[in-house]
Amino acid sequence: MSVTLDIRLKRANKVYHEGPIQLISSNIEVAKAGKIPGGKTEIPFEFPLQTKGNKVLYETYHGVFVNIQYTLRCDMKRSLLAKDLSRNCEFIVHCQPQKAKVAPTPVNFTITPDTLQNIRERSALPKFLIRGHLDATNCVISQPLTGELVVENSDVPIKSIELQLVRVETCGCAEGYARDATEIQNIQIAEGDICHGLSIPIYMVFPRLFTCPTLETTNFKVEFEVNIVIVLHDDHLITENFPLKLCRV
């Protein structure tokens, strides 16, 4: 007779919050030795999220060089002639919301050839003027990043305007640190030669799992940035960078 083992979490979204106790590694017995009858058998279980010593629970985060995951593993020990069964299931940990309110930090920006950084031949650039604002750079992770952008004028046609969300992961120790920036998502907010003077809304939802509250520890940091990317008709890229601080409230 075929026997299978599965783990089912009571919460459909698989999200759990840290505390008041924290988890690093814990083993519990959910059923004592004995015979399991034929058919489907459900064994309920629960336990506090708990760490040992002064360890800290960090929020679930799936990155490139930094990965924070929490999993359940269920092992069923069987008789000598039967193969043991094992099943893993990931669940998601959210850090405790901060009590203090997040003060909005709106940022106004103007993009012209003179404001661009790391340009070798500035005189070769076409003339353009782009204004706008981000409603906040201190962002609540469960709320979208919003703002507005206006192309006041441009000597050459614009092909596309995009929002690029970037993770910046720093890892290392006393011997040295490595800092790497990689793209999380890219959203096109305008296509084609945009009408001058037209307000274009900026709206980006922070993706679950691939973002977390901005994190800094002894050995690693996880930070986030957003780039406003203007693609000209000849595929020349104009990029304006904004550091973000994400938090959970």
Side-chain angles (χ1 to χ4, degrees), residues 19-90:
I21 313 173
Q22 301 168 323
L23 168 73
I24 285 296
S25 178
S26 180
N27 297 313
I28 61 172
E29 185 181 67
V30 296
K32 296 186 178 298
K35 188 174 182 180
I36 295 178
K40 182 178 179 180
T41 300
E42 294 187 355
I43 304 173
F45 66 91
E46 65 178 7
F47 57 89
L49 295 181
Q50 179 176 331
T51 59
K52 294 179 180 179
N54 60 353
K55 303 266 185 199
V56 178
L57 270 186
Y58 299 115
E59 185 157 318
T60 296
Y61 167 71
H62 292 187
V64 176
F65 304 101
V66 177
N67 212 36
I68 303 171
Q69 289 181 275
Y70 300 88
T71 59
L72 292 174
R73 174 173 170 172
C74 180
D75 295 313
M76 178 188 286
K77 303 296 182 182
R78 304 176 71 191
S79 62
L80 188 62
L81 299 178
K83 185 178 179 181
D84 293 345
L85 297 178
S86 181
R87 179 60 65 93
N88 290 304
C89 173
E90 181 180 5

